[in-house]
Amino acid sequence: MAQWVRYFRSGRGIVLGGLVAAAALAGGLVSADRAVRLASAPLTAARLEIQRKQAPPAPAALQARLDELAAAYGEEVGIAVTDVTQGWTAGVDHERPYPQQSVSKLWVAIAVMKAADEGRLDPYGWVTLTEEDRSVFYQPVSYRIGAGGYATPISDLLRRALVESDNAANDKLMRELGGPEGVAATLEGMGLTGVKVGAYERDLQALTAGLVWQADYGIGWNFQAAREALPMATRQAAMDAYLAQPLDGTAPGEITTALAALSRGELLSPASTEWLIGLMSQARTGPRRLKGGLPAGWTIAHKTGTGQDFRGASVGINDVGLITAPDGHVYAVAVMMRHTRKPVPERLAFMQSITRAVAEQWMRDDAFQTAD
């Protein structure tokens, strides 16, 4: 662990240091004693359910605003907002699974960090990517694979997966944990039974398109060519099956519950928590999604998801993360679009309206506390 912490402090990660810092990350309202208890007590699915039942009701004004925004958008959307400190959750269709797409990279990263905390995986360990490790769509790390492969530390794959959303990096991380089943087992052991990865990125995308993955699809535009060669009926049937029961399907409320637990320091060691959220804050994807609606003084640590386009619609257009108010109060937010035909500017405007609604709720709470 000492080496792991030195890595965080090397400039490639963020460490505030100690359990009190982890408490501050959770909104500044968690005592050091409680932070110690949270870090030492194992999280379970039962404990998460107790937390949900004990949480106060969501603010009526925020719930009404989310309902209004979702109705005005006019398409199927899932929204969840969880107050990290108080525990309440407001939402729209937030208990039904939605396709995650690259949001699932977040759960892979958490599983990797948990394995590192437990000594089952060395974050300094080097792995070699070969031709067999190529994935699909965005995968810049695969361009470095030569005749002898490409050797890189696990920590770099984590950065690529979370900051750049590199599919090959994410798939390699999954292999280091024993594949999708290994990731699922690690998450279940942490109490996160409600979030799913489902499949390797390349397998998920192939199945969604009506294909079965083969190695040459990872080269150039071979995947796209094979997809275009399929009969339209085959592609439609595959897409319909995915939308009806997505392999990576997870409810927005489950996502914000997990993010809130991460922020409170309940999932990982303090150092791992700090570093993971630090990587999320560096994400290069989706700068105009949730982030675009934040007022001055707010920050975000997030992960986006973007699925395939088909017949004029896009699948799995998502953004989830932790947004922090100027006073340090943290909210976990998830906005998910199952199947949208809206133009991109309208999608972005909708996501931005959700973060503005959260900021407005914080201002109401702040004004109430000031008056009190």
Side-chain angles (χ1 to χ4, degrees):
M1 177 58 70
Q3 284 186 321
W4 193 214
V5 173
R6 282 199 299 273
Y7 172 79
F8 300 143
R9 289 174 174 164
S10 68
R12 291 191 281 176
I14 297 176
V15 168
L16 300 181
L19 289 165
V20 175
L25 187 64
L29 300 177
V30 181
S31 70
D33 287 343
R34 181 166 182 249
V36 171
R37 293 197 301 273
L38 290 175
S40 60
L43 190 66
T44 64
R47 185 174 153 204
L48 280 173
E49 184 59 28
I50 291 172
Q51 289 178 355
R52 288 192 188 100
K53 290 180 178 180
Q54 293 179 342
L62 175 61
Q63 183 61 59
R65 181 58 175 153
L66 297 182
D67 289 335
E68 178 186 17
L69 291 170
Y73 192 67
E75 286 187 341
E76 193 175 7
V77 293
I79 307 167
V81 177
T82 297
D83 186 301
V84 169
T85 303
Q86 298 180 24
W88 54 254
T89 295
V92 176
D93 199 23
H94 61 290
E95 297 180 345
R96 192 159 60 104
Y98 275 70
Q100 289 186 96
Q101 293 294 312
S102 285
V103 166
S104 66
K105 289 182 172 72
L106 176 59
W107 317 125
V108 175
I110 287 175
V112 168
M113 302 296 276
K114 185 64 173 179
D117 284 344
E118 295 176 346
R120 294 185 285 115
L121 180 148
D122 179 9
Y124 285 98
W126 285 62
V127 295
T128 300
L129 282 77
T130 68
E131 293 291 337
E132 294 298 316
D133 291 310
R134 294 186 186 277
S135 188
V136 68
F137 300 141
Y138 191 75
Q139 49 171 334
V141 72
S142 70
Y143 307 152
R144 297 176 177 267
I145 299 173
Y150 174 64
T152 188
I154 288 173
S155 56
D156 184 61
L157 294 179
L158 277 165
R159 180 191 62 79
R160 289 177 179 275
L162 286 181
V163 176
E164 303 173 13
S165 206
D166 188 307
N167 290 332
N170 186 69
D171 282 0
K172 186 65 173 179
L173 289 172
M174 292 179 71
R175 288 188 191 89
E176 293 300 306
L177 290 172
E181 298 79 10
V183 174
T186 299
L187 294 174
E188 184 176 356
M190 302 170 72
L192 300 182
T193 56
V195 298
K196 292 175 60 177
V197 172
Y200 290 114
E201 187 73 41
R202 65 190 193 183
D203 289 335
L204 178 71
Q205 299 304 332
L207 289 170
T208 303
L211 296 166
V212 175
W213 180 261
Q214 58 188 53
D216 66 326
Y217 287 168
I219 300 173
W221 289 84
N222 288 350
F223 178 88
Q224 288 86 338
R227 183 178 61 181
E228 293 301 318
L230 288 172
M232 191 60 67
T234 299
R235 293 191 61 189
Q236 186 66 64
M239 181 62 74
D240 290 345
Y242 174 65
L243 290 174
Q245 194 168 5
L247 281 173
D248 59 345
T250 298
E254 295 286 356
I255 290 174
T256 57
T257 294
L259 285 171
L262 173 68
S263 181
R264 289 192 297 263
E266 296 175 344
L267 300 183
L268 302 169
S269 69
S272 293
T273 299
E274 300 286 351
W275 188 68
L276 181 60
I277 294 177
L279 284 179
M280 292 169 63
S281 72
Q282 300 171 41
R284 298 174 185 172
T285 58
R288 296 171 60 202
R289 293 188 185 183
L290 293 178
K291 185 176 182 178
L294 290 176
W298 287 69
T299 60
I300 185 170
H302 66 133
K303 184 70 195 76
T304 59
T306 305
Q308 298 181 46
D309 294 335
F310 181 58
R311 287 187 162 178
S314 299
V315 172
I317 305 300
N318 310 316
D319 199 1
V320 311
L322 296 164
I323 64 172
T324 304
D327 68 348
H329 201 92
V330 184
Y331 302 87
V333 181
V335 179
M336 311 182 78
M337 300 177 178
R338 187 182 305 277
H339 184 250
T340 179
R341 294 184 178 275
K342 298 283 188 180
V344 171
E346 291 187 33
R347 304 175 195 177
L348 297 175
F350 177 73
M351 289 192 175
Q352 292 168 16
S353 72
I354 302 302
T355 44
R356 280 196 293 270
V358 177
E360 290 165 2
Q361 180 60 46
W362 171 79
M363 291 179 67
R364 282 191 292 269
D365 289 342
D366 185 61
F368 176 78
Q369 292 169 7
T370 302
D372 187 56

